[in-house]
Structure formats: structure tokens, C-alpha cells
Amino acid sequence: MKRRMTGSVTGAIALFIASSMVTSILGFRQFERITTTPAWVMSANLPQGSIITRDSLEQVRIDKDLTETSIQNPRQLLGRELKIGKRSGDLVRQQDIKLPAQTSLSHAIPAGRVLYTLPNVHGGMPFSKLSTGDRLDVVVRGNRVVRTVARDIQLIGIINPEKGNLVEKDKGVMSLLQPNSSEREISPGHPSLVMAVRPADVFPLASIGAKDKVSLILHSAHDIAMGKKINVDPEKTYREVEVVSGLQRSKVRIGL
């Protein structure tokens, strides 16, 4: 005669099965994190000669070994022309895209921006790891006040006065930037950043004093590729009031 299982026994068996399934799922996810990595691949089939856009890329997890020779900085992919056709899910390698033809320096400046050189930048940032197209914010500290003087500037190149040349990842128009002797005297031992900035940022950048400490905030290439903009400015705890004394005008900050 068969014995019926009690409710507690049935519950224990169900709990054991559920625990086993959860453990298997967690184990699989842990294994996946160890053996795979997020990577940018083609999101659709593109024929030879196509231009890579944001819609052409998607991020998926693939085997780590497969990404070693591929381009994983979206800034180096967007706007480039494919030399060969690509299928959905394919990685893009350096030999798969056409290098931009060398042209005048003015063609390297995006529309609506101007070229500006920030000299004598030092400390904190691994300049050798920066690439053309990286996006930066410039934060300055002086007289116990921290302020953001320029936002979302685009790096064009880096002039290294010690080496006497431009530190660059992509050859082409940037080879036209070569520091002369006077530039090396202005910035001894520290690199100068060549940047594409908005016209409104020129005077705030030029107003940086010799004793001010400059800090650079580097934005993620993945956020830029997805159209995200991260604001590093703190919430305002003050307001500015304009004070007029005769012909003199000044602004005073009043705490809220």
C-alpha cells in the first residue's frame, strides 16, 4: 500500500527543486561573467561602403578572447566607412574600416565649434591613453572656489613639449599639429590639449589663472555613443546677485 506524502515533505521537495534551479541559474550567470565581456557588435547587416552610425551598433556579451583584436571604443567606429560587408553580430576590426583621408586642420573641427589650445595641463590624467574624439569637462579650483569652465569639449590632439610632437591615436589631420619652439617654452614639461570647444567657452578657458588648479573630467565613450550626458555640476546652494556701484558691476553669491 502506497504511503501518501505529507504536506511538509511535499513542501521540502518543492523547496529543494527551487533551490537547485536558483543555484544553477546563479552558477551559470557567474560563469558567464567570468568568461564573457560586454562588446560592441553590428546590430544589423551592412554592405561594403556603409557608414557606421549609432543605430548600427549594439552591446552584447561575447567571449573575451574574441574582443582582443576588435575596436571597442565607439568613438573610433561612429562615422567610419566599412571596407567590407558586415553581418548582424559581427565585430569590427581596424582593417574593416577606412581611415579618414588627410585634409586641412579646419576639417577636424566639428560644426559650431572652434579650436582652442589649453596649455600646461598637468596631473591626474593618463594623457597617453586619451584618443581623438574623447569628451571632457574642465573644472578649475582657485581662491577656494571650484567652477566648471567648459563642458563637453572634444579632444582633437595632445601636444607633448618633451617629445616635441603630437600624441595621437589616429593619424591624418592631426599630423598637421606640430609644436614650435615658442610653444615648448610656454609649457615646459607639461602637455597642451588641442580641443574643439563652443565659442562661449573660449573666454572662460582663457580666464584660467596661473595659480588655478585645472582638473579634467573624462566622459565614458559608451555613454556618448548612447547619447547620454552626465552632469558633474553640484546642486546650487546659492544664487548670484548683480551689484552696481557707479560704473562698476560685479556679481555676489548669496547662500540659499
Side-chain angles (χ1 to χ4, degrees):
M1 182 175 180
K2 295 183 179 179
R3 300 174 60 184
R4 293 184 178 180
M5 291 186 293
T6 63
S8 60
V9 174
T10 304
I13 294 175
L15 180 62
F16 173 76
I17 295 174
S19 299
S20 300
M21 293 177 62
V22 171
T23 302
S24 300
I25 293 172
L26 292 177
F28 174 77
R29 290 181 177 176
Q30 182 67 18
F31 177 78
E32 185 184 34
R33 283 195 294 268
I34 295 175
T35 58
T36 64
T37 186
W40 290 97
V41 300
M42 305 303 298
S43 62
N45 298 335
L46 287 183
Q48 177 184 356
S50 298
I51 302 299
I52 300 176
T53 64
R54 289 181 182 176
D55 295 335
S56 306
L57 300 173
E58 65 177 347
Q59 197 172 39
V60 298
R61 297 193 70 92
I62 64 175
D63 192 286
K64 290 183 178 180
D65 296 337
L66 298 177
T67 63
E68 292 182 357
T69 59
S70 65
I71 302 175
Q72 288 302 313
N73 184 349
R75 298 296 307 176
Q76 297 178 0
L77 292 172
L78 296 178
R80 296 297 178 85
E81 181 181 348
L82 286 174
K83 294 170 63 176
I84 60 175
K86 285 289 180 179
R87 294 182 178 180
S88 177
D90 283 353
L91 294 165
V92 181
R93 294 173 171 80
Q94 191 66 48
Q95 62 268 24
D96 298 336
I97 58 177
K98 289 185 178 181
L99 294 177
Q102 183 170 336
T103 183
S104 65
L105 181 58
S106 62
H107 285 80
I109 308 174
R113 302 206 177 202
V114 295
L115 202 66
Y116 182 86
T117 301
L118 183 64
N120 204 26
V121 182
H122 56 89
M125 185 65 65
F127 296 106
S128 62
K129 300 298 183 180
L130 297 178
S131 299
T132 300
D134 283 345
R135 298 299 181 97
L136 304 155
D137 293 343
V138 178
V139 177
V140 173
R141 184 178 68 190
N143 296 327
R144 299 182 180 180
V145 176
V146 178
R147 66 188 192 278
T148 303
V149 297
R151 298 171 180 82
D152 192 32
I153 62 176
Q154 182 173 334
L155 183 65
I156 300 298
I158 304 174
I159 297 176
N160 191 326
E162 293 182 347
K163 296 181 180 180
N165 58 14
L166 186 81
V167 179
E168 53 177 331
K169 297 291 183 181
D170 299 324
K171 301 296 181 181
V173 69
M174 298 319 304
S175 62
L176 300 175
L177 283 174
Q178 295 294 339
N180 55 36
S181 58
S182 62
E183 288 174 327
R184 288 193 290 268
E185 291 172 1
I186 292 174
S187 309
H190 299 302
S192 298
L193 299 185
V194 182
M195 311 174 299
V197 305
R198 297 180 179 88
D201 292 331
V202 171
F203 277 88
L205 287 167
S207 67
I208 298 175
K211 295 183 179 180
D212 290 339
K213 183 176 180 180
V214 178
S215 298
L216 302 176
I217 310 298
L218 179 63
H219 288 267
S220 166
H222 304 289
D223 287 339
I224 298 298
M226 299 301 293
K228 297 179 181 179
K229 290 185 178 179
I230 297 178
N231 185 11
V232 299
D233 293 339
E235 294 184 5
K236 285 189 176 182
T237 57
Y238 63 87
R239 64 176 179 175
E240 291 185 346
V241 177
E242 188 174 38
V243 178
V244 179
S245 177
L247 298 178
Q248 300 294 326
R249 291 176 178 266
S250 61
K251 289 185 178 180
V252 178
R253 293 183 177 182
I254 301 177
L256 299 178

